[in-house]
């Protein structure tokens, strides 16, 4: 789990500074299955930023993420229910377009490339779709 957090941190640390700033933090949290608003991101940054430099180290980010996950108490059933609302064709899968709608309509939107990358992480058979159950389970396992 922490290796996934490390990978996400490094991926969204666009300038390779070893820190996530406010602009990078929202995208990193969304990649880990959360959907914070701009005000929530600012609040999280303020709480997690131990030296008040408006940047998070990997340790600060990891600690913050684990605290959020404990507080969230999201179940697989909760995620499945949410994803089913976007499954317009009732196929039990989420397509790239459907995933894009989910991730771009809540909090700060992800780019098309970021959505595609996330889908590719879970699209084992590379058909452009991912099972709602597998997506929910995969996000909770992170």
């Amino acid at each position: 789990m922490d290796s996934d957090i490390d990978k996400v941190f490094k991926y969204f640390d666009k300038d390779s500074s070893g820190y996530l700033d406010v602009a990078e933090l929202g995208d990193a949290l969304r990649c880990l299955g959360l959907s914070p608003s701009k005000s929530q991101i600012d609040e999280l940054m303020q709480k997690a930023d131990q030296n008040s430099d408006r940047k998070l180290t990997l340790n600060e980010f990891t600690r913050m993420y684990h605290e959020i996950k404990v507080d969230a108490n999201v179940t697989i059933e909760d995620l499945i229910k949410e994803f089913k609302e976007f499954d317009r064709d009732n196929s039990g899968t989420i397509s790239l377009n459907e995933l894009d709608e989910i991730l771009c309509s809540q909090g700060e939107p992800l780019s098309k490339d970021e959505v595609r990358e996330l889908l590719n992480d879970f699209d084992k058979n590379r058909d452009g779709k991912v099972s709602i159950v597998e997506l929910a389970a995969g996000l909770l396992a992170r």
Side-chain angles (χ1 to χ4, degrees):
M1 168 105 148
D2 282 351
S3 68
D4 286 338
I5 294 169
D6 186 43
K7 288 177 192 172
V8 167
F9 182 91
K10 287 178 181 168
Y11 177 79
F12 286 101
D13 178 17
K14 304 275 188 212
D15 58 1
S16 300
S17 65
Y19 298 95
L20 291 183
D21 61 28
V22 173
E24 297 163 329
L25 178 59
D27 291 338
L29 291 173
R30 277 186 210 80
C31 187
L32 290 166
L34 303 171
S35 53
S37 67
K38 173 125 178 56
S39 62
Q40 289 170 325
I41 293 166
D42 290 337
E43 184 179 326
L44 290 168
M45 175 64 82
Q46 189 175 15
K47 286 180 183 176
D49 182 18
Q50 294 177 343
N51 63 357
S52 301
D53 63 356
R54 302 284 296 156
K55 300 182 285 186
L56 296 183
T57 65
L58 175 59
N59 287 338
E60 289 170 329
F61 179 70
T62 302
R63 196 170 19 261
M64 178 200 63
Y65 176 75
H66 286 297
E67 288 174 11
I68 292 170
K69 287 300 280 188
V70 168
D71 290 342
N73 290 326
V74 175
T75 66
I76 192 167
E77 291 81 13
D78 295 332
L79 286 177
I80 290 170
K81 181 180 175 186
E82 289 294 321
F83 288 141
K84 281 185 177 180
E85 291 182 29
F86 291 92
D87 180 17
R88 292 203 167 67
D89 60 0
N90 294 314
S91 63
T93 62
I94 297 286
S95 68
L96 177 60
N97 289 337
E98 291 166 332
L99 187 61
D100 184 57
E101 183 179 336
I102 294 167
L103 297 175
C104 292
S105 67
Q106 301 175 5
E108 286 182 43
L110 294 180
S111 71
K112 293 271 188 199
D113 289 338
E114 291 166 329
V115 172
R116 189 171 294 110
E117 185 174 323
L118 184 60
L119 178 67
N120 287 337
D121 286 346
F122 293 101
D123 183 13
K124 301 302 179 203
N125 65 358
R126 302 291 181 234
D127 65 352
K129 299 177 183 176
V130 64
S131 158
I132 289 173
V133 173
E134 289 176 356
L135 179 59
L139 289 173
L140 284 178
R142 288 180 172 225

